[in-house]
Amino acid sequence: MRTAHRQRFRLSGGTELSFVTAGEASDPAVLLLHGFPSSAQTFRGVIPELSRAAYVIAPDLPGFGESDVLPAVSFAAFGQAVSELLDHLAIGPRYLYLHDFGAPVGFHIAMREPSRILGLIVQNANAHAIMASVVTRRPATEAASWSAVRTTLTGSMTP
């Protein structure tokens, strides 16, 4: 098993984000996003095993665990913070594990750069705030909006 390393990264706005990495950076990346009220510690039992086949990144979301609080709190801001971390680590295509509070954060990341998403692993998650901002309620465009959501999240136009 590979050793997990806890690190800190200063975001462009000055906030520090704490995160754990494990595995070889050349392996497929898996981003683990925890729920509320939790931290990357949630994954301490699975990181060693996952790191045998993947490069694991498990951030403490802003304001949780050892991460600082962002000046403005929203799922979009959390998504931007995690995206900045991924860019800093030069993480290309990745799988996203989304749990609870981490799901809307991960959906923001996925919708911002869908071409970098290899797959989603979703457990006990919600997306109502995200979908409300993507899907319009006008009958003439609702089908097209759902098609765009489907394409963004799955890469496929088929239902």
Side-chain angles (χ1 to χ4, degrees):
M1 286 186 245
R2 304 201 174 126
T3 305
H5 301 281
R6 181 163 288 278
Q7 305 168 62
R8 290 182 70 80
F9 171 65
R10 184 176 299 275
L11 299 167
S12 58
T15 301
E16 288 199 4
L17 199 62
S18 179
F19 64 100
V20 173
T21 59
E24 297 294 327
S26 59
D27 286 341
V30 177
L31 175 67
L32 304 176
L33 296 173
H34 65 79
F36 177 87
S38 194
S39 70
Q41 279 294 105
T42 298
F43 305 112
R44 67 187 172 277
V46 298
I47 288 175
E49 193 65 32
L50 278 175
S51 69
R52 290 179 175 206
Y55 183 58
V56 179
I57 307 103
D60 288 339
L61 292 175
F64 295 87
E66 297 179 26
S67 288
D68 296 344
V69 177
L70 290 175
V73 178
S74 69
F75 290 122
F78 283 14
Q80 180 58 42
V82 174
S83 290
E84 194 174 328
L85 170 66
L86 295 173
D87 289 345
H88 169 73
L89 296 173
I91 303 299
R94 77 279 314 231
Y95 293 92
L96 302 182
Y97 170 86
L98 313 175
H99 176 247
D100 187 53
F101 195 79
V105 177
F107 287 135
H108 275 285
I109 294 167
M111 292 173 71
R112 187 175 294 128
E113 295 185 285
S115 64
R116 289 188 168 194
I117 307 304
L118 296 172
L120 300 173
I121 303 114
V122 183
Q123 178 185 1
N124 189 32
N126 67 69
H128 49 73
I130 307 317
M131 294 308 175
S133 69
V134 174
V135 179
T136 65
R137 292 296 172 204
R138 291 173 289 191
T141 59
E142 189 166 344
S145 295
W146 278 111
S147 177
V149 169
R150 202 169 28 254
T151 300
T152 299
L153 297 178
T154 67
S156 171
M157 290 296 288
T158 58

